[in-house]
Amino acid sequence: MTMSEHFSGSASAVAAHHTDDSGAGSAWEYLVIRCEPRESLAEVRRRVVDHAEQGRWELRRSRIYSGGVRKYWLRRRIMKVRRTL
């Protein structure tokens, strides 16, 4: 499953959303946030914290590439609900 989001009107901040079930008994959902160097660190930090608090995401990895592009990988466990009836 792939989905794109745009944050705060900026076309440069795109999130890719996909799932991963590695067969180890736990499935994870990942969200990748890409930020351009012209975006302030405070704005990027606020966006990552908002996702963590509102969507129950946890920060898995962050990386700064040459040229100043930043990427943040967030993940959350997929909860499978079993039918009780």
Side-chain angles (χ1 to χ4, degrees):
M1 175 179 181
T2 304
M3 177 175 85
S4 294
E5 279 177 35
H6 296 284
F7 297 102
S8 65
S10 173
S12 63
V14 177
H17 182 244
H18 64 280
T19 59
D20 176 32
D21 188 7
S22 58
S26 63
W28 294 94
E29 193 173 20
Y30 290 88
L31 179 69
V32 181
I33 300 174
R34 181 178 183 271
C35 304
E36 294 295 325
R38 68 178 174 267
E39 296 180 70
S40 72
L41 187 56
E43 173 66 25
V44 172
R45 184 177 293 141
R46 185 193 58 78
R47 192 176 316 147
V48 171
V49 168
D50 284 347
H51 276 289
E53 290 178 351
Q54 302 298 322
R56 297 189 179 191
W57 294 96
E58 62 182 44
L59 182 62
R60 175 71 176 135
R61 181 180 184 180
S62 63
R63 190 160 214 175
I64 301 174
Y65 293 94
S66 61
V69 173
R70 296 184 294 264
K71 280 191 180 180
Y72 300 91
W73 284 263
L74 294 99
R75 73 176 186 175
R76 66 181 171 189
R77 190 175 304 273
I78 297 174
M79 299 189 64
K80 296 180 182 176
V81 179
R82 293 185 184 184
R83 188 174 176 166
T84 59
L85 297 176

